[in-house]
Amino acid sequence: MSATSSSTTFSYKSEFLGIFPLPQSRCRPVISCYSFPSTNRASNSKRHLITRAASEGGGGGDDEISKSKEPSGSGGSMLSLEDVNPVGLGRRSRQIFDEVWRKFSGLGQISRTVRTDDEESLDLLGLRQGGPMCEFAIPGAQNTTVLVVGATSRIGRIVVRKLMLRGYTVKALMRKLDSQVVDMLPRSVDIVTGDVGDPSTLKKAVEGCNKVIYCATARSPITADLYRVDHRGVYNLSKALQDYNNKLAQLRAGKSSKSKLLIAKFKSEDSLDGWEVRQGTYFQDAVAAKYDAGMDAKFEFTETGQAVFSGYVFTRGGYVELSKKLSLPIDRTLDRYEGLVFSVGGNGRSYVVILEAGPTADTTQSKLYFARISTKVGFCRVRVPFSSFRPVKSDDPPLDPFLVHTLTIRFEPRRQRPTETPQGSKQDLRSFKLIMEYIKALPSGQETDFVLVSCTGLGIEPSRREQVLKAKRAGEDSLRRSGLGYTIIRPGPLKEEPGGQRALIFDQGNRISQGISCADVADICVKALHDSTARNKSFDVCHEYIAEQGRELYELVAHLPDKANNYLTPALSVLEKNT
């Protein structure tokens, strides 16, 4: 079978199916894909030892009942119907399970001090240092704090426990400290109060956090609630994390791996020096030229303290642009970074960013590379990865950021789309206004900073599907523009069933039609944190299925998980980046 860049299918056995694995006999083979049983010794021993703990923990109670019911003078015990009451037995087994799980989950925090009287329980569960639990450990987890938003959701509850089992420090953002909701989380989780719709409450939440997993979603179909949680919530939290990273970078004198390279910051009239306004045309139409009203543009620092590039283009095939030759420090070349981020405002026009690369001594050998960006009405941040730049001439080689020496921002009316102002009136597409705040180079990271669980729209009522998807896609777009390393997961309809039982399809074509278990989605979230192939990727995921005859959409790829049960790296390695 052959692999394609559009979708891949992988079969795996999760070592942690929601909470505990089910017997292997529950696993079902999948046509066109292989399903392999788990070889994780920690999983098998854990299942065995938990059963042993339940049986040993309940033994004492049964003996006491037997003794209390034994009649005097009788050599054996007599059990009444009350002794085997299913309600009482169920309550007792649940108490034993809760006690075992409390001790088991609390070990996820490395800093927690274990009491002496718990040592016997640790031996029983096989969780001592060097025991089977060590196979859950992830390098770097002990020094990583993860903020989980939506920790009490269907996916969030599993994510929290998976993180703790691997040694992460876990913080959970909650809107209110409701005792019933708090009891749903393990005691060792650090709970912070805040509202994703209120940026002022998020500064404390992100302090000390290295990564974020966003599982929250609006609970009501009201447009305002969708906008607050699924759109502004993602924007506010990504901005708070970015601001916190920038603060750390300043404290470390710019030596942090997360610090950006400042290319231009427009805070005074002097900051406009070196920028040149130019104009031109792609072609000249002699007949239509006499009817053109011309074009004009200017770049000025206004009385309100803003650097504004504005003007109009009425000439057919005309354009205006703002350009500057870059002067970067010798030890800060752009090849050490992965892209550019623009902080701009204006009236929502689209622009072309052009990079000129080549030897500075001979600019005649320079090559031009372009990428198109879109802005919004008001202020926004636009992230432009270097990988998105394409050569103007198809025969030219790919962009080498090390050779970039000139940056240009071009406006051309021919590719503009109608936009509506907050008042509802449409603007003239031939005029533009771009307020410049700063231009920075994004550091090239290896891992994901922000994992967002979105949706495909399947399973949502048709009457409100468009509203939900609009808010979700707006939140995704704000995350891509933030400058953080991101992973956006769009699962199919969620199912309450064990994970790791079926093969998964990863796709970027909006073509999936099946659901997926919450445990599978949670497992992907946790694995994506330290997987370099997951950085800056968006993808759909669902359970593998057999398409109808003549409607096949995928070329299925069978994959044997490696020793570490790593199915995500080969699955995402063939998907397109910066999506």
Side-chain angles (χ1 to χ4, degrees), residues 101 105-106 160-161 164 182-191:
W101 173 248
S105 62
V160 168
R161 285 165 171 79
M164 294 179 60
V182 172
D183 291 342
M184 298 173 63
L185 300 175
R187 296 180 306 165
S188 49
V189 174
D190 182 11
I191 299 177

Side-chain angles (χ1 to χ4, degrees), residues 280-577:
T281 58
Y282 290 106
F283 57 87
Q284 184 65 40
D285 190 336
V287 176
K290 58 182 180 180
Y291 299 105
D292 289 336
M295 49 187 168
D296 188 26
K298 58 183 178 180
F299 189 38
E300 59 182 356
F301 197 79
T302 64
E303 296 180 356
T304 57
Q306 295 178 331
V308 181
F309 176 44
S310 61
Y312 60 87
V313 178
F314 291 103
T315 301
R316 183 183 179 189
Y319 62 85
V320 294
E321 59 187 21
L322 184 65
S323 182
K324 181 183 181 180
K325 290 187 177 295
L326 303 180
S327 56
L328 302 176
I330 298 178
D331 59 338
R332 292 295 184 93
T333 53
L334 291 181
D335 60 318
R336 302 183 180 183
Y337 299 83
E338 69 176 19
L340 303 174
V341 59
F342 297 81
S343 180
V344 296
N347 53 0
R349 296 289 180 264
S350 61
Y351 300 86
V352 181
V353 179
I354 302 174
L355 297 180
E356 188 173 350
T360 55
D362 185 8
T363 56
T364 59
Q365 300 182 15
S366 296
K367 312 295 183 182
L368 296 179
Y369 301 84
F370 73 96
R372 302 188 184 276
I373 64 173
S374 298
T375 63
K376 297 182 178 180
V377 177
F379 283 89
C380 65
R381 287 170 296 175
V382 182
R383 180 179 177 275
V384 192
F386 287 133
S387 59
S388 64
F389 283 86
R390 299 291 181 264
V392 174
K393 297 181 179 180
S394 57
D395 296 336
D396 290 342
L399 172 66
D400 182 359
F402 178 79
L403 300 176
V404 173
H405 57 76
T406 303
L407 171 65
T408 301
I409 302 175
R410 176 177 294 181
F411 170 78
E412 50 186 31
R414 63 174 184 166
R415 291 185 177 272
Q416 301 301 318
R417 294 182 179 180
T419 57
E420 293 186 359
T421 61
Q423 293 77 19
S425 61
K426 294 185 178 180
Q427 299 177 344
D428 188 346
L429 300 180
R430 296 172 293 183
S431 63
F432 69 95
K433 179 181 180 181
L434 185 66
I435 304 174
M436 309 284 289
E437 284 193 332
Y438 64 76
I439 303 174
K440 296 181 180 180
L442 296 170
S444 57
Q446 298 297 323
E447 297 178 350
T448 291
D449 302 310
F450 199 114
V451 177
L452 173 63
V453 179
S454 185
C455 72
T456 60
L458 297 175
I460 302 176
E461 297 178 5
S463 59
R464 66 187 192 95
R465 180 180 302 163
E466 183 178 354
Q467 289 181 325
V468 173
L469 289 180
K470 183 177 180 180
K472 292 284 189 181
R473 298 301 180 259
E476 294 177 10
D477 190 51
S478 65
L479 178 58
R480 294 188 188 96
R481 297 169 183 264
S482 67
L484 296 170
Y486 65 86
T487 300
I488 299 176
I489 305 170
R490 301 193 194 104
L494 298 178
K495 299 180 179 180
E496 297 291 347
E497 62 182 45
Q501 301 297 298
R502 300 175 61 183
L504 301 177
I505 288 179
F506 295 82
D507 182 47
Q508 290 180 321
N510 297 323
R511 301 172 298 181
I512 69 172
S513 60
Q514 299 297 307
I516 185 173
S517 72
C518 296
D520 284 331
V521 178
D523 196 69
I524 295 172
C525 290
V526 175
K527 280 183 165 59
L529 292 177
H530 295 290
D531 196 320
S532 59
T533 61
R535 181 179 170 90
N536 297 341
K537 288 186 179 179
S538 306
F539 55 88
D540 307 334
V541 61
C542 71
H543 282 154
E544 189 270 346
Y545 62 97
I546 304 300
E548 297 179 5
Q549 186 70 25
R551 301 183 61 182
E552 294 84 355
L553 298 177
Y554 309 98
E555 294 184 26
L556 304 183
V557 180
H559 171 68
L560 176 62
D562 56 25
K563 184 177 180 181
N565 193 29
N566 183 12
Y567 62 91
L568 195 62
T569 298
L572 300 185
S573 60
V574 297
L575 299 183
E576 186 178 351
K577 200 174 182 180

